[in-house]
Amino acid sequence: MSLFNICSWTCVLVCIACTSGRSLTSSKPQPRSLLDEKNKDHWRIQAQWTLRSKVSVPLKTNVAKNVIFFLGDGMSITTLAATRVYLGRKHGYLGEEVKLSFETFPFTGLSKTYCVDNNVADSACSGTAYLTGVKANSGTVGLSGAVRRGDCEGQRDTTNSVTGLMDWAQQAGKSTGIVTTTRVTHATPAAAYAHSADRKWEADVDMPRHGLRCEDIASQLVRGRVGSSIDVVLGGGRKNFYPTTEKDAQGYFGIRNDGRNLIREWLLRKESLGARPKYVYNKHDLQNIDSTYNSVLGLFSSDHMPYHLEAEEDDPTLSEMTQKAIEILSQNKNGYFLFVEGGRIDTAHHETKARKALDETAELAKAVEAALRLVNIENTLIVVTSDHSHTMTYSGYSKRGTDILGLTNTKYNASDNLPYSTLSYANGPGFKPHEDFKRHNLMLDDMNNLNYTYPSLVPLPRETHGGEDVAVFAKGPWSHLFSGNYEQNYIPHAIAYASCIGPGLTTCKL
């Protein structure tokens, strides 16, 4: 399996080459197409190969000992399509014909992402849905729809709390882990272990200063029943674990006002539970963890981890964190549940920085590829999906091989005779004011800049999420359960069924 896939059909390529009389090793300059798309037999043979591969896929109904759940935060279907071209062109192909590593999975579905109270989801309510199986209100984490955002009293009422895959796996004796490129206390990973009436209550300094006191998310990771039992936690967000009086390894002060050093507390708590814990804060230490350590906390940045395009040598990649997590969790003979988030796809979209968003999506595809190399797919279920969409659009009609991050080269001009970009957003900070009643001329912009903000129609300080369905890809035992269209909260129930965890229906309880 590779980062992207050119249909995986070597014998078919040979057949097409013979039919067309053309060599597969073209000497033409890039970009190139691997196949002769002008030959009608190319399309017939391609479709027949796809049909045969689908007909021959066996339905695996054995128990999934291990589960790896990949989440591309904000990874819309448009983002997937654009990333294919981005990656394909980097490797010399036209781009549209390639597939990301997980797009070769045999089963695909669509999930509906709305919240209980909003038609467009945020990462908190959606995280609660696909990790616990219960839809929630916008801005709330690990709580039912009975709790509105900011309702501290509702958070303290334990009847409103909901747990899911992380808790169910722990109760089944499996090891558990979280890997993310955001803060480990951010809304998405927090939904795996915390109960918070506001996703922003990541540290005590973020809590309301009036009324009832609620426990912050970082504290719940260290002291909570589910959080404290997670074996591997890798990501960013050190500032939420240090007090204001202490500096982290990079010289940044913490933001906690309660004087607690939660990293020290985590180490002590793990030792009291009989684990052999290790705390790391850089790539070198992560890669050199002794195999005798069975519990690892890795916080590699004070805030979110840097974008891959801006990362330094000692910043671990999402693939490297995923590999290390699998190595540690695989020590448990009962199996494991691992949640992996490519979180910076979302933050890049909010800034309308499409180049970074596509690159972060490519990094998620690399992490999936890395996992596939390490696991036995016969007993490991892998699910890849997104929490919500974004407002980025992919418009035409450019010629094949056109730079996806550049201007269209269509023969159909805009009515104002000014160029437009292939990618743009419905809203966000990329809005550029009109000059003399004319649209901004994109020819004046440096679109190769990593931080270029792509055009948006409506001016907003941050681009919004989109409300359309997102794709779900699955491979391994019971992966056929993820076909079709369903509510987002169905996903953890299907995972639990396949892996025999949780209180609901499972393949072990038929």
Side-chain angles (χ1 to χ4, degrees):
M1 181 67 67
S2 61
L3 172 58
F4 63 82
N5 184 284
I6 310 287
C7 297
S8 298
W9 45 327
T10 305
C11 60
V12 177
L13 297 184
V14 174
C15 181
I16 292 175
C18 293
T19 304
S20 65
R22 294 178 59 178
S23 170
L24 295 179
T25 56
S26 172
S27 59
K28 291 184 178 181
Q30 298 178 346
R32 66 186 187 278
S33 174
L34 190 64
L35 309 177
D36 183 4
E37 294 181 349
K38 294 180 180 179
N39 185 334
K40 61 185 179 183
D41 289 331
H42 156 73
W43 299 107
R44 290 170 177 168
I45 296 171
Q46 179 214 57
Q48 284 293 309
W49 180 88
T50 302
L51 178 61
R52 287 178 180 275
S53 66
K54 289 187 177 295
V55 169
S56 63
V57 171
L59 298 184
K60 294 184 173 67
T61 56
N62 53 297
V63 176
K65 175 183 176 181
N66 310 308
V67 175
I68 307 178
F69 190 175
F70 286 92
L71 191 285
D73 198 313
M75 189 175 67
S76 62
I77 292 177
T78 305
T79 303
L80 294 175
T83 302
R84 293 178 209 139
V85 184
Y86 170 79
L87 266 178
R89 280 183 51 80
K90 283 183 68 174
H91 292 271
Y93 300 103
L94 294 175
E96 294 85 356
E97 71 274 26
V98 308
K99 290 185 178 182
L100 303 179
S101 59
F102 50 85
E103 290 182 312
T104 64
F105 284 11
F107 298 100
T108 306
L110 292 170
S111 76
K112 300 158 67 176
T113 63
Y114 63 90
C115 306
V116 169
D117 58 343
N118 285 354
N119 62 349
V120 176
D122 78 319
S123 294
C125 77
S126 57
T128 303
Y130 62 72
L131 283 168
T132 75
V134 176
K135 287 216 173 193
N137 288 322
S138 179
T140 65
V141 173
L143 298 168
S144 72
V147 180
R148 307 289 294 188
R149 186 169 189 170
D151 179 6
C152 183
E153 186 173 359
Q155 174 180 328
R156 289 168 60 90
D157 183 350
T158 57
T159 61
N160 297 322
S161 298
V162 291
T163 62
L165 291 170
M166 199 66 64
D167 181 28
W168 301 340
Q170 290 171 359
Q171 292 189 39
K174 297 180 182 293
S175 293
T176 53
I178 292 175
V179 171
T180 180
T181 51
T182 67
R183 297 185 297 271
V184 298
T185 52
H186 203 235
T188 298
Y193 61 84
H195 312 287
S196 180
D198 196 319
R199 56 177 290 176
K200 292 186 177 180
W201 294 350
E202 296 185 48
D204 67 312
V205 69
D206 303 316
M207 304 299 297
R209 302 184 182 281
H210 60 277
L212 295 171
R213 295 290 294 174
C214 283
E215 189 173 16
D216 63 87
I217 295 171
S219 182
Q220 290 185 57
L221 177 58
V222 174
R223 290 185 170 183
R225 180 179 62 83
V226 177
S228 64
S229 297
I230 300 175
D231 300 286
V232 177
V233 179
L234 306 176
R238 279 197 304 258
K239 66 181 182 181
N240 293 322
F241 294 80
Y242 278 96
T244 56
T245 56
E246 292 186 37
K247 292 182 179 179
D248 65 19
Q250 294 180 327
Y252 296 102
F253 280 105
I255 64 171
R256 299 195 66 85
N257 281 331
D258 57 10
R260 294 164 59 194
N261 183 319
L262 294 184
I263 295 173
R264 190 176 300 122
E265 285 190 24
W266 179 86
L267 288 167
L268 292 173
R269 184 175 181 84
K270 285 293 185 181
E271 288 174 352
S272 70
L273 295 174
R276 188 166 185 223
K278 178 75 173 179
Y279 167 65
V280 295
Y281 56 85
N282 58 53
K283 175 179 174 177
H284 177 270
D285 290 348
L286 175 68
Q287 293 181 329
N288 289 280
I289 291 176
D290 189 293
S291 60
T292 59
Y293 291 105
N294 57 11
S295 193
V296 176
L297 174 63
L299 299 176
F300 306 104
S301 177
S302 179
D303 205 304
H304 293 321
M305 293 184 66
Y307 288 108
H308 170 251
L309 290 172
E310 298 174 332
E312 297 181 356
E313 186 177 348
D314 214 20
D315 294 314
T317 65
L318 184 62
S319 296
E320 290 164 343
M321 292 191 292
T322 300
Q323 291 178 66
K324 181 56 67 173
I326 292 173
E327 290 172 10
I328 297 169
L329 298 176
S330 296
Q331 298 177 42
N332 189 337
K333 60 179 175 43
N334 294 322
Y336 59 84
F337 171 74
L338 174 61
F339 178 65
V340 181
E341 183 203 16
R344 304 233 59 189
I345 303 169
D346 178 73
T347 59
H349 274 319
H350 278 307
E351 298 167 346
T352 67
K353 295 176 180 177
R355 186 178 299 273
K356 287 182 174 179
L358 302 192
D359 190 75
E360 291 297 317
T361 306
E363 287 301 296
L364 181 71
K366 289 180 184 178
V368 175
E369 178 192 1
L372 287 167
R373 287 197 299 264
L374 290 175
V375 305
N376 178 0
I377 202 64
E378 294 302 314
N379 66 6
T380 304
L381 171 64
I382 299 181
V383 178
V384 183
T385 188
S386 177
D387 48 355
H388 52 71
S389 180
H390 272 276
T391 71
M392 187 182 78
T393 60
Y394 180 168
S395 59
Y397 299 97
S398 287
K399 293 180 175 62
R400 289 284 298 280
T402 301
D403 182 4
I404 189 70
L405 291 163
L407 301 175
T408 60
N409 57 16
T410 174
K411 63 181 179 180
Y412 302 101
N413 294 324
S415 58
D416 57 7
N417 291 317
L418 289 173
Y420 61 94
S421 57
T422 301
L423 301 180
S424 60
Y425 291 82
N427 56 52
F431 175 81
K432 295 173 175 62
H434 293 192
E435 302 168 3
D436 298 326
F437 301 101
K438 292 182 179 180
R439 187 164 54 91
H440 173 75
N441 188 350
L442 297 179
M443 292 289 288
L444 302 175
D445 296 350
D446 179 11
M447 299 183 73
N448 291 318
N449 189 310
L450 293 182
N451 291 307
Y452 179 71
T453 55
Y454 276 72
S456 53
L457 177 64
V458 178
L460 287 177
R462 278 170 59 83
E463 178 264 358
T464 71
H465 296 164
E468 64 268 29
D469 297 352
V470 295
V472 183
F473 306 89
K475 185 171 186 175
W478 293 99
S479 51
H480 56 283
L481 295 179
F482 298 89
S483 300
N485 181 281
Y486 35 80
E487 298 287 357
Q488 193 171 43
N489 67 294
Y490 162 79
I491 294 173
H493 292 277
I495 291 175
Y497 179 91
S499 55
C500 288
I501 62 175
L505 180 66
T506 74
T507 186
C508 298
K509 297 178 183 177
L510 291 178

